């Protein structure tokens, strides 16, 4: 895969998110890191954003609550290049009504090479890095090949002769791999 370089300035756009039973941990961590956070643009979901703004005395861009679409809003901002860093204290022991949204947000952070801290230890290590307060060149995967791949319809996939491909062992015909882009 090819990569593009996305320069990030000293000021990062940081999403702060926490599940209900982790909000206290995030608030304690944020108080300890208030001076660093104050130098960046902070985005938060619903209640977490309100609590952070009140506790830290800094502006927080507040989105919807997670279960009402806030996690999806952060995911969309990641896909649009509007979030540089995610701190998400999620609760691994409690089922959430919006678990698919949480998984989608985490997947998008990985897809777009966004650093993500999921607990205090990882957040501490990342925030103590000198990269937090200086420009950074993030490698951004170039998905143009994926965007331009050939999409075959069911009729195209079952082209004449496709069932005659017996290149593998067994009596069943193998899948028709013609036209599929290497990913």
């Amino acid at each position: 895969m090819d990569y593009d370089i996305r320069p990030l300035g000293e000021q990062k756009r940081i999403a702060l998110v926490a599940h209900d039973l982790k909000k206290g941990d995030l608030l304690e961590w944020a108080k300890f890191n208030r001076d660093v956070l104050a130098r960046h643009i902070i985005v938060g979901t619903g209640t977490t954003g309100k609590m952070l703004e009140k506790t830290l005395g800094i502006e927080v861009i507040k989105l919807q609550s997670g279960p009402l679409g806030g996690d999806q809003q952060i995911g969309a901002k990641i896909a649009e290049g509007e979030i540089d860093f995610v701190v998400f204290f999620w609760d691994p022991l409690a089922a959430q009504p919006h678990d698919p949204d949480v998984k989608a947000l985490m997947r998008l952070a990985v897809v777009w090479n966004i650093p993500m801290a999921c607990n205090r230890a990882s957040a501490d290590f990342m925030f103590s890095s000198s990269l937090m307060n200086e420009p950074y060149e993030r490698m951004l995967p170039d998905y143009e090949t994926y965007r331009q791949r050939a999409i075959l319809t069911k009729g195209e996939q079952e082209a004449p002769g496709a069932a005659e491909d017996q290149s593998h062992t067994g009596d069943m015909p193998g899948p028709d791999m013609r036209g599929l882009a290497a990913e």
Side-chain angles (χ1 to χ4, degrees):
M1 175 174 284
D2 293 328
Y3 292 89
D4 292 326
I5 300 298
R6 166 103 194 263
L8 302 178
E10 290 180 23
Q11 186 180 51
K12 313 292 188 288
R13 297 163 299 181
I14 303 170
L16 297 178
V17 186
H19 285 154
D20 287 348
L21 295 178
K22 296 294 183 175
K23 288 186 189 325
D25 285 346
L26 181 65
L27 287 173
E28 284 179 28
W29 177 85
K31 281 193 280 190
F32 183 81
N33 290 286
R34 186 216 178 272
D35 293 341
V36 174
L37 290 168
R39 294 192 294 259
H40 300 283
I41 298 167
I42 307 302
V43 178
T45 53
T47 307
T48 303
K50 290 176 191 172
M51 294 169 78
L52 286 164
E53 195 168 67
K54 181 179 178 184
T55 300
L56 303 178
I58 63 175
E59 181 183 357
V60 175
I61 299 167
K62 293 172 288 303
L63 306 176
Q64 293 292 330
S65 174
L68 300 178
D71 296 333
Q72 289 186 348
Q73 287 179 299
I74 289 178
K77 288 182 176 296
I78 289 171
E80 294 296 325
E82 297 174 13
I83 295 290
D84 303 316
F85 196 105
V86 176
V87 176
F88 189 169
F89 285 13
W90 61 280
D91 188 349
L93 301 179
Q96 303 294 326
H98 61 299
D99 274 339
D101 301 344
V102 172
K103 185 176 180 180
L105 187 160
M106 296 170 116
R107 188 183 76 73
L108 286 170
V110 172
V111 165
W112 294 106
N113 198 25
I114 300 292
M116 178 184 243
C118 294
N119 56 38
R120 284 180 87 148
S122 59
D124 286 342
F125 272 86
M126 290 181 189
F127 263 63
S128 64
S129 168
S130 62
L131 299 175
M132 278 305 300
N133 300 305
E134 61 186 48
Y136 176 73
E137 291 186 348
R138 178 170 55 101
M139 291 178 64
L140 188 63
D142 180 0
Y143 290 114
E144 195 56 33
T145 301
Y146 179 79
R147 289 183 187 107
Q148 299 300 323
R149 73 195 183 285
I151 305 295
L152 303 177
T153 66
K154 183 165 176 63
E156 291 171 327
Q157 291 175 358
E158 295 176 4
E164 297 169 12
D165 179 7
Q166 300 286 332
S167 60
H168 69 291
T169 59
D171 295 326
M172 298 298 293
D176 183 10
M177 302 305 281
R178 293 176 288 161
L180 296 178
E183 296 186 34

